[in-house]
Amino acid sequence: MTDRPPFTVHALVHDAADRFGADTAVIDDHHDAYSFAQLRSAALRSAATLRDYGVRRGDRVGVCMAKSATQAVAILGVLLADAVIVPILPGLKHDNISHIVTDAGLRLAVTDDVRADELREAAPDLPLLPGSRLVDPTDPTAPVPQQAISEDLAAIIYSSGSTGRPKGIMVTHRNLWHGAHITSGYLGTRRDDRICSVLSLNFDYGLNQLWQCMLTGARLYLHELVFPASLFRLLAEERITVLPVMPVIITRMFDERLMRFQPKGDLSAVRYVCTSGGAVSARMIEQMTSTFPNAAVFLMYGLTEAFRSTYLPPDQLSARPGSIGRAIPDVELLVLDDSLREVGPGERGELVHRGGCVANGYWNAPEETAKRFRTLPQFPGETVVFSGDIVTRDADGYLYFIGRRDAMIKTSGFRVSPTEVEDVANRYPGIAGCVAVGVANTEIGADIALMYTSEAPVDEDAFRKFLEEELPRHMVPRYLIAEESLPATGNQGKFDRQSVSQSVLRQLGVAQDS
């Protein structure tokens, strides 16, 4: 009999196969589908194949694939082999792919025909395993000893950091198991739900939909959002009941350039919409409530280092505009000043998260880990996460986001370090210095503006083309602003980011908060 260590993804997979058997678990845009029992069998075959390729407990395995049922099998196969998944976002530039491969020490990567060339160019020595090889139905379902326990690493999810290089966030099996139980609980996910996944399976929010389905028996529809009409057709034809989104996805769903008419079809089956990954504007809320008349709307806030921190119940949506909600179940949130004192209602402080979803820190980055993952005197021996987000709390305990403690720019669901943009821009011939800052945009969180100086006049079109070729799309500045000089602080002549940001806002005519 297969071992079933509790509080692990293994337990979710095996229990789902036993409880929900022939029910459809996952189906993609190509109509490839697996029942829960078939998904377990395919994942076990994948695990056995990975073992044949030398993958052992704790090895890091990259997964770089288009969203598909095969990708879901690959993810589960890596975990059932007791290895650690390292999602690699398709479309990353060579430098970042190479950094992830080297930093994580990947044993191999699972990929598809489209993404294989990206990996070969960025990491020519990395062994690649076609995803199709993992789901070969002619392979017998081999028994795979599973020794991982809840505290073992399940994933390393790379997210941009203040050092200018992506940092790998170490997520355990218990983190994933705990997150599935908490979110399905407060959202009320059920066995008869049909979840439409327009989210990437390369990040915690998208992956959580897979874990919730394993836990509850809900069906997961994997959809690649290109044109809104195809999404709304899927929602209507498949009687989708659950739609997890992000602000950038909402913007695309209702983009008038892509959708010339109101959504067609019966969308009354959608019973809840949930969103995370950035601020949601009043217009976005109106779009969701008017399009999905029977849906409760949950606004959520989280950070990969602790998965999910807050949610705003639907009955508080109009009563508390701008709120990111209260702590999710089994989580306590503190709002602390610089002296680690709990601030009062209306006072600003840093949000600090404690609970079962706290990650194990950053992979290969002890100094960065020590800054964010800390202990507090009132919770001896326990690690909490200092989010870097400045918030206030009202008298009823509802939280309101004010801004980032550091200079991170949150755009289109990504957290971008300004230095990542600046490092690339400084490579362009003639650039003498530059500073990247965020400009608020409720549709995507923030636009990126780059103020720069140059040794001679720069052809802006050529400069922009260079940035588009060297940076991922979400990191390309929307605004390029040339200046004769950049403001500097008295501290060794470092650029004064606050002054740059104020100057950018003035030039763009953006109102500034007092």
Side-chain angles (χ1 to χ4, degrees):
M1 178 178 291
T2 304
D3 292 334
R4 300 183 182 184
F7 315 123
T8 62
V9 174
H10 302 56
L12 292 175
V13 173
H14 291 303
D15 291 349
D18 289 345
R19 294 169 60 201
F20 312 123
D23 291 355
T24 300
V26 60
I27 184 170
D28 63 22
D29 284 336
H30 301 289
H31 305 291
D32 290 336
Y34 291 88
S35 71
F36 287 95
Q38 290 170 335
L39 192 57
R40 175 173 63 179
S41 295
L44 286 171
R45 285 196 299 270
S46 299
T49 300
L50 288 165
R51 290 287 178 89
D52 290 342
Y53 275 77
V55 172
R56 295 296 179 262
R57 182 180 181 182
D59 283 347
R60 279 77 61 201
V61 176
V63 177
C64 184
M65 305 176 70
K67 186 192 296 183
S68 64
T70 300
Q71 185 188 20
V73 170
I75 289 168
L76 295 178
V78 171
L79 292 172
L80 291 186
D82 287 343
V84 181
I85 56 171
V86 181
I88 301 175
L89 183 68
L92 279 181
K93 298 302 180 182
H94 293 175
D95 286 352
N96 277 344
I97 293 177
S98 180
H99 167 71
I100 291 172
V101 169
T102 302
D103 186 66
L106 295 189
R107 178 80 182 211
L108 58 80
V110 183
T111 187
D112 52 32
D113 292 340
V114 178
R115 272 74 194 182
D117 288 342
E118 298 176 31
L119 293 177
R120 289 193 187 98
E121 292 176 13
D125 296 329
L126 178 68
L128 301 183
L129 178 60
S132 58
R133 176 70 179 88
L134 292 181
V135 297
D136 185 350
T138 62
D139 286 352
T141 303
V144 180
Q146 290 160 11
Q147 299 174 310
I149 64 171
S150 60
E151 304 311 314
D152 280 349
L153 285 188
I156 300 176
I157 299 176
Y158 277 82
S159 178
S160 298
S162 58
T163 61
R165 279 292 195 181
K167 296 194 300 292
I169 299 167
M170 297 188 288
V171 180
T172 68
H173 279 266
R174 184 184 293 272
N175 292 151
L176 301 179
W177 184 93
H178 206 58
H181 282 74
I182 289 176
T183 50
S184 62
Y186 72 74
L187 291 172
T189 310
R190 310 184 306 226
R191 181 172 181 174
D192 62 347
D193 274 324
R194 295 168 173 239
I195 303 175
C196 181
S197 173
V198 290
L199 305 168
S200 169
L201 295 182
N202 297 292
F203 298 110
D204 54 334
Y205 185 19
L207 283 169
N208 181 257
Q209 312 312 315
L210 181 58
W211 317 137
Q212 281 197 66
C213 287
M214 292 290 159
L215 178 65
T216 65
R219 180 180 300 184
L220 188 64
Y221 289 80
L222 299 174
H223 179 70
E224 196 71 59
L225 176 57
V226 178
F227 294 107
S230 62
L231 170 61
F232 287 113
R233 187 181 309 114
L234 173 67
L235 297 178
E237 292 178 354
E238 298 297 340
R239 304 295 291 164
I240 296 296
T241 63
V242 173
L243 180 61
V245 293
M246 299 169 63
V248 66
I249 290 174
I250 300 172
T251 299
R252 188 168 186 84
M253 286 171 59
F254 297 100
D255 189 332
E256 294 180 355
R257 296 168 298 178
L258 301 174
M259 184 179 65
R260 300 178 181 178
F261 47 81
Q262 290 300 309
K264 294 182 178 180
D266 182 1
L267 303 175
S268 62
V270 180
R271 67 179 195 85
Y272 81 74
V273 177
C274 58
T275 179
S276 186
V280 179
S281 67
R283 181 169 180 266
M284 292 177 181
I285 293 174
E286 192 281 328
Q287 288 171 326
M288 289 188 291
T289 54
S290 61
T291 303
F292 308 108
N294 295 334
V297 177
F298 291 84
L299 303 187
M300 306 184 297
Y301 154 91
L303 59 158
T304 307
E305 290 85 348
F307 174 55
R308 184 70 42 73
S309 293
T310 70
Y311 79 102
L312 185 68
D315 62 1
Q316 297 295 316
L317 199 61
S318 58
R320 303 181 192 272
S323 175
I324 60 174
R326 299 172 66 172
I328 64 173
D330 202 26
V331 161
E332 182 176 4
L333 300 177
L334 310 174
V335 183
L336 305 181
D337 64 14
D338 290 340
S339 301
L340 303 184
R341 176 187 68 89
E342 184 86 22
V343 303
E347 295 183 69
R348 295 187 178 192
E350 182 172 356
L351 185 147
V352 177
H353 175 121
R354 61 182 297 252
C357 293
V358 172
N360 273 16
Y362 300 117
W363 177 265
N364 278 342
E367 293 182 2
E368 292 297 321
T369 297
K371 293 176 184 177
R372 296 288 296 277
F373 296 84
R374 298 158 59 183
T375 59
L376 292 171
Q378 60 268 46
F379 307 112
E382 178 186 346
T383 299
V384 301
V385 175
F386 281 68
S387 70
D389 290 337
I390 304 302
V391 301
T392 62
R393 184 156 42 194
D394 65 21
D396 297 320
Y398 287 87
L399 294 158
Y400 296 80
F401 178 79
I402 301 300
R404 290 288 301 165
R405 177 180 288 279
D406 55 23
M408 295 288 285
I409 303 168
K410 194 160 189 176
T411 178
S412 300
F414 296 88
R415 288 187 302 157
V416 175
S417 169
T419 56
E420 291 182 273
V421 179
E422 294 158 5
D423 288 347
V424 171
N426 278 321
R427 299 207 303 260
Y428 189 78
I431 296 298
C434 60
V435 175
V437 297
V439 179
N441 178 344
T442 56
E443 292 188 341
I444 63 171
D447 291 314
I448 298 174
L450 184 76
M451 182 174 282
Y452 66 93
T453 60
S454 58
E455 299 165 353
V458 168
D459 183 330
E460 185 172 308
D461 290 339
F463 187 26
R464 179 172 295 282
K465 183 178 179 181
F466 169 82
L467 295 173
E468 290 173 346
E469 290 175 348
E470 297 297 322
L471 288 168
R473 182 181 303 175
H474 64 274
M475 290 188 189
V476 176
R478 178 175 180 181
Y479 305 107
L480 297 177
I481 302 172
E483 290 288 341
E484 291 185 0
S485 63
L486 297 175
T489 67
N491 181 18
Q492 299 176 345
K494 292 183 178 181
F495 292 136
D496 186 340
R497 292 185 180 275
Q498 184 174 358
S499 296
V500 170
S501 181
Q502 292 171 348
S503 177
V504 167
L505 295 177
R506 283 195 301 270
Q507 293 192 45
L508 297 178
V510 178
Q512 301 179 52
D513 295 334
S514 58

